[in-house]
Amino acid sequence: MKHELTELEGCVLGMIGTTGPCTPYAIRRGFRESPSQYWSASAGAIYPLIVRLQRRRLIRLKRKTGDGREGKLYALTPAGESALRRWLGPPCPATAIGVPPDPLRNRVAFFAMLKSAERAAFLKDAIDGVARHLEEVQSYTQCQERQGQSDEYLVSLGAKLMLEARLAWLREMAHRLGVRTD
Amino acid sequence: MKHELTELEGCVLGMIGTTGPCTPYAIRRGFRESPSQYWSASAGAIYPLIVRLQRRRLIRLKRKTGDGREGKLYALTPAGESALRRWLGPPCPATAIGVPPDPLRNRVAFFAMLKSAERAAFLKDAIDGVARHLEEVQSYTQCQERQGQSDEYLVSLGAKLMLEARLAWLREMAHRLGVRTD
DNA sequence: ATGGCCATGTAAGATGTTACATGATTTA
DNA sequence: TAAATCATGTAACATCTTACATGGCCAT
């Protein structure tokens, strides 16, 4: 195989693989409704990507939805399924193992530019935002847990643990600066 | 201001701001030597970026290194410093608050594609890789700690906590699957 | 019959990647 | 003197973004 899959391509193959044949629009909806919001899942990203995967024979057009709206249902080919399995690993690529990028960490790296009061304001704002977001993710996670322990539950559990670790980190920094965290 | 700064642009401004006037090459070295490895910091990324920042009057050419190798030293303009401060926040943008993207989480989302033994192999591999990487980051963090509590220490502390949370998450999943984690 | 959702796509642009090209200086 | 490092840059390409364009179905 010449091409490795990008993260987005892997996720799209994964969605087709786990939910069965689906339209590009359904894939977009999947991204839009996911709590992650990392990808915009715009038409300009998805449709060309579908064309790419089709040209590489990893997916194929199975049939139209047939309801006059001409939805195109794509399914994995055998090659697509094995490409998906290779992407899923093992082995995990080094980029998957390494610390994920974090915009907050990027900003803390340049704390030296800020005065003590500005740092305190930054930490207060960040702690507030992360705590708020954590609450949402926690209730989402509990929701998933009640619906049985699906993969989605494991995913949001991972997200929850990330946010908790980030919050602990921010609070630790605030503590060192003597900032009240309420 | 018309343009927001990208993460990479923010980091470059931050590096120039904290270390003083420096060459694009020194900035590349900074990225190359950082343990994060998220950006390639290739010439093709940095030099055009420097041109962009210069055109927006956020940095300016201060002088040449004058050692025959014609290194160009760039410094922040006042506009550049205030752009950097705005980028640093507060307020933190929503993209900085949200859960950072994680390739491992992306893969776990499609666990349904794998058989139980394959999941176990995935988790073993991932736990092994993350644990190994964590050790490196831990020793790096201790190194930073001994050198006094710089911003770099706080950054690697954040990275360490992220990795610990990820590892705990992977182990939790392994536990549920009855995988031995040694 | 109007507005909202389903459904497909294209166009222009920003930002990043790898790989290449060039030349000076330091170090083994 | 040969190799590594310092130092600048370009070219071709991939991938993603926003914004636009088009049209059918369905509920109020």
Side-chain angles (χ1 to χ4, degrees):
Chain A
M1 274 300 157
K2 269 185 286 190
H3 302 284
E4 297 287 308
L5 295 176
T6 64
E7 286 297 302
L8 188 56
E9 285 167 348
C11 287
V12 167
L13 282 188
M15 287 171 82
I16 298 175
T18 51
T19 70
C22 53
T23 65
Y25 187 83
I27 291 166
R28 287 182 65 196
R29 203 181 334 107
F31 283 112
R32 220 173 45 217
E33 286 165 9
S34 107
S36 132
Q37 259 191 279
Y38 176 63
W39 286 298
S40 80
S42 56
I46 298 301
Y47 289 99
L49 184 148
I50 292 290
V51 170
R52 258 174 6 236
L53 294 179
Q54 202 177 11
R55 268 211 272 267
R56 288 185 218 164
R57 319 271 176 191
L58 301 181
I59 59 174
R60 65 178 220 281
L61 180 58
K62 204 171 190 194
R63 58 188 173 85
K64 305 284 185 77
T65 48
D67 61 347
R69 271 175 296 190
E70 291 302 279
K72 295 176 173 180
L73 291 160
Y74 290 90
L76 293 188
T77 61
E81 196 175 315
S82 69
L84 175 54
R85 279 173 196 288
R86 266 197 311 281
W87 178 75
L88 284 172
C92 294
T95 50
I97 294 299
V99 200
D102 181 340
L104 288 182
R105 231 175 32 240
N106 286 343
R107 281 157 178 79
V108 167
F110 308 112
F111 251 27
M113 293 298 292
L114 301 179
K115 285 174 242 155
S116 181
E118 292 171 324
R119 276 177 243 183
F122 173 90
L123 289 174
K124 265 193 177 168
D125 182 63
I127 287 170
D128 203 64
V130 172
R132 218 181 285 278
H133 192 231
L134 177 57
E135 278 176 38
E136 282 175 46
V137 170
Q138 270 168 341
S139 70
Y140 187 85
T141 306
Q142 280 175 7
C143 217
Q144 296 287 335
E145 194 172 20
R146 273 187 234 103
Q147 291 172 17
Q149 305 210 346
S150 59
D151 293 343
E152 285 187 43
Y153 166 67
L154 297 177
V155 168
S156 49
L157 180 63
K160 196 192 81 168
L161 292 172
M162 283 301 102
L163 284 176
E164 282 170 351
R166 275 172 120 209
L167 193 54
W169 173 60
L170 290 167
R171 288 207 163 118
E172 166 69 19
M173 289 192 287
H175 176 70
R176 281 163 197 248
L177 276 174
V179 180
R180 275 243 309 282
T181 359
D182 307 327
Chain B
M1 276 298 157
K2 270 187 284 191
H3 303 282
E4 297 288 308
L5 296 175
T6 65
E7 286 297 301
L8 188 55
E9 286 167 348
C11 288
V12 167
L13 282 188
M15 288 171 82
I16 298 175
T18 52
T19 69
C22 53
T23 65
Y25 187 83
I27 291 166
R28 287 181 63 197
R29 202 182 333 106
F31 284 112
R32 221 173 44 218
E33 285 165 10
S34 108
S36 132
Q37 260 192 277
Y38 175 63
W39 285 298
S40 80
S42 55
I46 298 301
Y47 289 99
L49 184 149
I50 291 291
V51 171
R52 255 169 14 231
L53 294 179
Q54 201 177 10
R55 268 211 270 268
R56 289 186 218 163
R57 320 271 176 189
L58 302 180
I59 59 175
R60 65 177 219 280
L61 180 58
K62 205 171 189 194
R63 58 189 172 85
K64 304 285 184 78
T65 47
D67 62 346
R69 272 176 295 191
E70 291 304 275
K72 295 176 172 181
L73 290 160
Y74 290 91
L76 293 188
T77 63
E81 196 176 314
S82 69
L84 174 54
R85 278 172 195 287
R86 266 197 311 282
W87 177 75
L88 284 172
C92 295
T95 50
I97 295 298
V99 201
D102 181 340
L104 287 182
R105 230 174 34 237
N106 286 342
R107 282 156 177 81
V108 167
F110 308 112
F111 252 26
M113 294 297 293
L114 301 179
K115 284 175 240 155
S116 180
E118 291 170 325
R119 275 176 246 183
F122 172 90
L123 288 175
K124 265 192 179 169
D125 183 63
I127 287 169
D128 204 63
V130 172
R132 218 181 286 277
H133 192 231
L134 177 56
E135 277 176 39
E136 282 175 49
V137 171
Q138 269 168 343
S139 71
Y140 187 85
T141 306
Q142 279 175 7
C143 219
Q144 296 288 336
E145 194 173 19
R146 272 187 237 105
Q147 290 173 16
Q149 304 211 348
S150 59
D151 294 341
E152 284 187 45
Y153 166 67
L154 296 177
V155 169
S156 50
L157 179 63
K160 197 193 80 169
L161 292 172
M162 284 299 102
L163 284 176
E164 282 170 350
R166 275 171 120 208
L167 193 55
W169 173 59
L170 290 167
R171 289 206 163 118
E172 167 69 20
M173 290 192 286
H175 177 70
R176 280 163 198 246
L177 277 174
V179 180
R180 275 242 311 279
T181 356
D182 308 327

